[in-house]
Amino acid sequence: MQLIDIGVNLTHPSFAGQREAVLARAFAAGVCQLLVTGTSLAESQQALELCRQLDADGQRLFSTAGIHPHDASSWASDSARQLKALLAEPEVRAIGECGLDFNRDFSPRPQQEKVLEEQLALAVELQLPVFLHERDADQRLLAILRDYRDRLPAAVVHCFTGEKRALFNYLDFDLHIGITGWVCDERRGTHLHPLLREIPSGRLMLESDSPFLLPRSLRPKPKSGRNEPAFLSEVLREVALHRGESPEALASHSTACARRFFGLPAIAERTDDDARD
Ligand SMILES: [Zn+2]
């Protein structure tokens, strides 16, 4: 079984000094390729460098480059040029994460919208897929996307946590949906359970969003309390359960979907011999 984790915050300081071990556990757990999320210019640069350091063959680690709505205030006159330079690198497979976060409002909303539009324009120009972040802002996100959607190759709403209305609107816009361990949270994720089977195969991808969002259903619980890509199989298990399909079937179509979305190379299935090495 092969899984692709489309959102890992591998630049996060809590992974410092442990990144090789984290990746080795991910590979052993069937996660064969990972997308390292970029959230600012500096972190997007760092994400690219991690891909080069930790995956010299360029087969397993890829990244995104973009400016998160939390960081929208950092947008400067030179940002588009710098972002474009990063996006020209072969490891960088999507623009983002970018979007709107009206839940925490760390940057003023007009600035979030401006910086999102700058990045959508870049995605159109470079014909790259978009990795979107949205919290409590689906109506505004849809209103902005309306002007760009037909010129964008593809876009995924990562870590979807919204309601049925938002999901159906996103699907109508031909967007992809990223699902995290939020669905394993009995306090705030159960509204997603009946929605999971509404996402067509070919539009659904899985992500750990680690080190955040440790699946609360995971047993045994890791002592660190930190999420990592190896635990993506718990998200797989929970999503498969609510979709009424086998984990193997879900792994197969969500992996094919992610590979197509990000243009990743096919890689050979791990054998038991590899696992013993
Ligand atoms: Zn996000």
Side-chain angles (χ1 to χ4, degrees):
M1 189 162 73
Q2 291 193 336
L3 292 173
I4 297 177
D5 187 345
I6 69 156
V8 185
N9 300 284
L10 201 58
T11 58
H12 195 273
S14 71
F15 284 135
Q18 300 170 47
R19 293 190 177 96
E20 284 89 349
V22 166
L23 287 176
R25 287 195 290 272
F27 297 148
V31 179
C32 62
Q33 288 166 318
L34 305 91
L35 273 295
V36 184
T37 310
T39 56
S40 64
L41 281 172
E43 289 208 22
S44 299
Q45 178 69 44
Q46 214 189 325
L48 169 62
E49 282 162 14
L50 286 177
C51 293
R52 291 176 175 160
Q53 279 166 27
L54 300 172
D55 178 37
D57 297 340
Q59 296 289 303
R60 291 177 178 273
L61 270 191
F62 301 88
S63 68
T64 69
I67 295 180
H68 193 283
H70 291 344
D71 281 299
S73 300
S74 72
W75 185 269
S77 56
D78 198 34
S79 296
R81 191 193 57 78
Q82 292 188 58
L83 209 46
K84 221 168 146 173
L86 284 168
L87 292 164
E89 299 297 332
E91 293 87 349
V92 182
R93 293 305 169 108
I95 184 158
E97 59 182 296
C98 56
L100 302 174
D101 193 316
F102 293 174
N103 180 273
R104 284 163 284 183
D105 284 313
F106 289 161
S107 287
R109 293 180 183 184
Q111 182 69 8
Q112 292 187 37
E113 295 188 5
K114 171 188 146 62
V115 172
L116 168 62
E117 290 210 52
E118 293 272 6
Q119 294 178 88
L120 292 175
L122 265 183
V124 168
E125 182 188 335
L126 303 171
Q127 285 297 295
L128 282 169
V130 186
F131 189 86
L132 292 164
H133 171 104
E134 178 267 306
R135 287 285 298 283
D136 296 352
D138 59 294
Q139 297 293 74
R140 278 305 294 153
L141 180 62
L142 286 158
I144 291 170
L145 279 174
R146 187 160 288 130
D147 292 337
Y148 295 88
R149 180 63 191 99
D150 61 344
R151 291 172 292 148
L152 288 172
V156 57
V157 179
H158 109 96
C159 191
F160 178 78
T161 58
E163 303 294 335
K164 185 174 183 176
R165 177 193 69 180
L167 177 66
F168 279 42
N169 284 329
Y170 289 150
L171 292 173
D172 283 348
F173 266 48
D174 200 20
L175 302 182
H176 286 67
I177 306 293
I179 297 291
T180 61
W182 199 280
V183 297
C184 305
D185 188 330
E186 80 291 354
R187 305 163 306 175
R188 59 180 184 176
T190 54
H191 71 286
L192 294 168
H193 293 172
L195 297 181
L196 290 170
R197 60 171 74 228
E198 305 290 348
I199 308 170
S201 63
R203 300 271 206 97
L204 170 61
M205 301 187 278
L206 303 176
E207 45 177 332
S208 67
D209 206 23
S210 51
F212 313 115
L213 301 182
L214 176 71
R216 284 174 59 87
S217 53
L218 186 69
R219 298 292 180 274
K221 288 181 188 294
K223 287 192 192 77
S224 68
R226 184 193 65 189
N227 194 15
E228 57 176 77
F231 304 147
L232 192 61
S233 52
E234 178 63 12
V235 180
L236 175 82
R237 189 195 61 72
E238 186 77 19
V239 174
L241 176 73
H242 295 291
R243 285 175 63 83
E245 62 186 349
S246 68
E248 290 77 12
L250 174 59
S252 170
H253 68 72
S254 62
T255 293
C257 180
R259 197 162 273 151
R260 208 163 44 238
F261 185 93
F262 293 103
L264 307 183
I267 59 174
E269 186 101 31
R270 252 180 104 85
T271 65
D272 287 343
D273 287 345
D274 294 334
R276 275 197 297 271
D277 284 344

